Amino acid sequence: MEPGRRGLMPAFPCGKMEEGKARWPDGVFAHLEMLEARAYEAAVKQEETEQREEKLARLKARVQELRRQRDELRAKVDLQQKGLGKAGVVSDAAQPSARAVLEWKIKSVKAMLQVFYLTGISGKLTKQGVCFCISTAYEGTYLDSYYLDLLTKPEVRIHRHSVPTFIPLEQIAKKHLETDIRRFLSVLADHLNAYVGRRHQADQLQEHFSDQIEGTLQRNSLCNLLVFNYNLSSRSKTFPFNARLLYGDLCCSLPTEVSVSCTPEAPASLAETAAAHSALFRRVALHRAFRSFSSAAERADVAP
């Protein structure tokens, strides 16, 4: 620097920077995807746990109230049965009227229907029995309602219904209908909610991520077997991953067996990514897993 002139030396050597973006190894992307999936899964589980706890608290409060009403009505019936006076006649003070007994029976049935309503099952009395409505939902989204018309005389049996033919209604009825109608409705509701949950995931996948799926997603009527080829980015024209999801538990909306493999022409470095995807599909809803793939791909595109 010339004497008498002041200035700052440059912090970095002058020169032209190397053009181009730095590329990260595929294993880093797979690890980032796995970390994001775990964080998302933890948030979803926490939200679901809070919702279940709130719902359980409401159900417990309602059950306690129904039990209190039941105990009061039972006490009145006991007074009727034990209210014989010393002369062998019924005491007027202790004898509830026939109307009161009938009201108790009707209230008991209505109370049972109200308990079912809190779990997505509602019903109304008919001239020949009871008609139930099972409302289904997935992740807070209402989906479909199914109806079941039961006859109660001379024995409890199914008169009409709108349950899909691939739901094992006859087996469930044979096991629970005549012995425990509450259990029967609960098991049937589990089957229906799991089915619509699986169907909803497949529909969401095709609706929002069709550009990442090769052709049409293959599924059966029960939606307990899904097969498809996919990629990680909507910009890619190749589909290096093949997925096969089997839902062995028909009362569950997450798969029990998952197989994710790479096509023969896919790079060997994607094997680790396929293993991470396989684990993710077991824990997270299908469309949410693909949403995490898209987020990871967008971050990779903007990475320096």
Side-chain angles (χ1 to χ4, degrees):
M1 180 178 297
E2 297 179 4
R5 298 185 62 182
R6 296 181 181 180
L8 297 177
M9 294 295 292
F12 300 97
C14 295
K16 187 178 181 181
M17 295 182 64
E18 184 180 356
E19 297 181 354
K21 296 182 179 179
R23 299 184 61 85
W24 292 5
D26 291 337
V28 175
F29 290 135
H31 185 66
L32 289 175
E33 292 171 5
M34 182 174 62
L35 291 177
E36 180 186 6
R38 289 180 178 176
Y40 178 79
E41 177 190 3
V44 171
K45 285 186 177 179
Q46 182 179 358
E47 182 179 357
E48 291 177 348
T49 300
E50 292 175 355
Q51 292 177 352
R52 284 197 298 267
E53 289 177 351
E54 292 177 0
K55 184 176 181 179
L56 182 60
R58 293 195 302 269
L59 289 174
K60 286 183 176 180
R62 181 58 183 167
V63 169
Q64 290 177 354
E65 174 63 20
L66 293 174
R67 286 177 176 173
R68 184 189 64 78
Q69 296 177 7
R70 178 200 62 189
D71 293 340
E72 291 180 357
L73 293 170
R74 281 181 176 176
K76 291 181 181 180
V77 174
D78 290 341
L79 288 176
Q80 180 189 26
Q81 295 175 347
K82 299 178 180 178
L84 294 177
K86 293 182 180 180
V89 296
V90 178
S91 170
D92 293 337
Q95 180 185 14
S97 64
R99 180 179 179 84
V101 175
L102 178 61
E103 290 178 352
W104 168 72
K105 293 181 179 180
I106 295 175
K107 187 177 292 187
S108 297
V109 174
K110 289 183 177 180
M112 182 186 70
L113 296 179
Q114 178 65 18
V115 171
F116 284 143
Y117 177 76
L118 295 174
T119 59
I121 304 174
S122 59
K124 63 179 181 180
L125 299 175
T126 64
K127 293 182 179 180
Q128 298 176 313
V130 184
C131 181
F132 288 101
C133 173
I134 302 177
S135 300
T136 60
Y138 185 73
E139 294 184 334
T141 301
Y142 168 79
L143 296 174
D144 294 321
S145 291
Y146 300 94
Y147 296 89
L148 194 69
D149 195 1
L150 299 182
L151 302 179
T152 56
K153 295 180 180 180
E155 60 183 11
V156 180
R157 59 187 178 90
I158 299 173
H159 179 46
R160 292 173 298 188
H161 68 85
S162 62
V163 177
T165 56
F166 42 79
I167 298 295
L169 177 61
E170 293 185 5
Q171 292 90 322
I172 300 172
K174 184 177 181 180
K175 188 174 182 179
H176 301 293
L177 182 58
E178 294 186 4
T179 57
D180 190 344
I181 190 171
R182 295 190 182 189
R183 179 62 177 166
F184 164 73
L185 291 172
S186 176
V187 172
L188 180 57
D190 288 343
H191 276 265
L192 290 172
N193 275 285
Y195 156 65
V196 298
R198 297 190 299 267
R199 186 193 64 190
H200 179 70
Q201 293 179 59
D203 290 343
Q204 290 291 301
L205 181 62
Q206 292 228 251
E207 179 179 352
H208 299 290
F209 303 97
S210 59
D211 51 358
Q212 293 177 238
I213 303 295
E214 184 180 26
T216 303
L217 181 146
Q218 301 178 41
R219 53 177 165 175
N220 59 355
S221 299
L222 195 53
C223 288
N224 67 326
L225 178 62
L226 306 179
V227 179
F228 55 93
N229 292 337
Y230 68 98
N231 57 35
L232 294 181
S233 174
S234 58
R235 302 177 183 177
S236 175
K237 300 301 181 182
T238 61
F239 303 89
F241 299 101
N242 175 266
R244 182 180 185 274
L245 282 63
L246 177 64
Y247 300 78
D249 185 355
L250 297 182
C251 293
C252 185
S253 57
L254 290 177
T256 55
E257 298 180 22
V258 177
S259 173
V260 178
S261 58
C262 297
T263 56
E265 62 274 11
S269 58
L270 293 182
E272 183 179 351
T273 303
H277 289 186
S278 179
L280 184 63
F281 288 150
R282 285 186 172 91
R283 304 190 306 267
V284 180
L286 192 56
H287 58 289
R288 295 191 179 277
F290 269 79
R291 194 164 296 149
S292 70
F293 297 162
S294 300
S295 300
E298 291 175 0
R299 288 197 302 270
D301 289 340
V302 299

